[in-house]
Amino acid sequence: MLSQQPYKVLCVCLGNICRSPTAEAVLRHFCQQQQLNVHVDSAGTAAYHIGEAPDSRSQQYAKQRGYDLSNLRARQLSPQDFQDFDLILAMDEQNLKNIQRIEQQAQVQFSTQSLRAQVAMMTEHASEFQGQAIADPYYGGAAGFEQVLDQCEIASQAWVLVFKSSQKQ
Ligand code: 4NP
């Protein structure tokens, strides 16, 4: 991990209005708390909500824990992101498949050497639910949104430990 240039992480879900903006704000918080030189962004694999603010329920439950999502706007994952980001984090297995499909487009569009993004699950290092999905809360109730926040907090703290240990090398 480079120490001068920020390490760039992109959190990705389907719509970029519930899970990935939550993951973005939570991961940014824990990186800032540890003064890590990490830039965090988010995107969706689908185009449904481009330009929209996060879902009002995601904003509401996040705000109750001190995370402000109000300035975030949805955008769609693009092949360019595989050149621009170091790490792309999928919220669930279907997101992962969609990310890999766009990665294949990037491989056609750009030289393979210019693609730097590694792809992993958001929960890759979260001990309690390692590798498991962060479930889509869109069609459910409050518990789903709270669970997204719980999972993002635990998963982000685990990533921060990984980033810190790679900065020491
Ligand atoms: P997200 O949730 O992927 O966590 O942002 C969703 C938001 C919208 C839709 C699906 C999932 N939708 O079908 O519009």
Side-chain angles (χ1 to χ4, degrees):
M1 195 162 140
L2 295 173
S3 53
Q4 288 110 349
Q5 296 289 329
Y7 184 74
K8 294 183 72 179
V9 182
L10 186 64
C11 302
V12 173
C13 63
L14 178 64
N16 194 208
I17 57 165
C18 296
R19 292 166 291 173
S20 62
T22 303
E24 174 185 346
V26 172
L27 183 59
R28 180 178 296 124
H29 164 77
F30 285 107
C31 287
Q32 284 176 347
Q33 191 183 62
Q34 296 297 318
Q35 298 178 322
L36 293 175
N37 187 16
V38 177
H39 169 85
V40 188
D41 193 4
S42 66
T45 58
Y48 317 132
H49 299 284
I50 291 172
E52 291 179 21
D55 185 285
S56 57
R57 298 163 296 172
S58 292
Q59 291 198 48
Q60 178 198 333
Y61 292 108
K63 198 171 178 186
Q64 287 170 10
R65 298 194 194 193
Y67 306 107
D68 182 5
L69 309 188
S70 63
N71 290 326
L72 305 180
R73 294 293 176 269
R75 73 173 182 88
Q76 192 173 19
L77 181 68
S78 77
Q80 180 69 44
D81 289 316
F82 290 84
Q83 288 191 314
D84 294 343
F85 285 85
D86 298 291
L87 180 63
I88 296 180
L89 297 177
M91 300 299 125
D92 67 25
E93 291 288 345
Q94 188 59 50
N95 300 152
L96 189 65
K97 285 185 189 141
N98 291 332
I99 291 165
Q100 286 163 344
R101 183 174 45 76
I102 299 168
E103 185 175 29
Q104 285 171 5
Q105 293 172 15
Q107 285 163 354
V108 171
Q109 204 169 325
F110 307 112
S111 74
T112 308
Q113 296 98 304
S114 72
L115 305 181
R116 40 194 259 246
Q118 294 200 314
V119 181
M121 292 288 281
M122 180 74 192
T123 56
E124 179 113 353
H125 300 285
S127 52
E128 293 167 45
F129 43 86
Q130 192 170 31
Q132 290 177 21
I134 296 184
D136 186 351
Y138 191 67
Y139 294 105
F145 288 88
E146 296 286 11
Q147 192 183 356
V148 168
L149 280 155
D150 290 342
Q151 289 182 302
C152 285
E153 287 182 332
I154 290 167
S156 294
Q157 289 175 83
W159 276 111
V160 161
L161 291 179
V162 172
F163 300 154
K164 279 175 82 167
S165 70
S166 61
Q167 261 188 349
K168 284 187 202 132
Q169 288 164 13

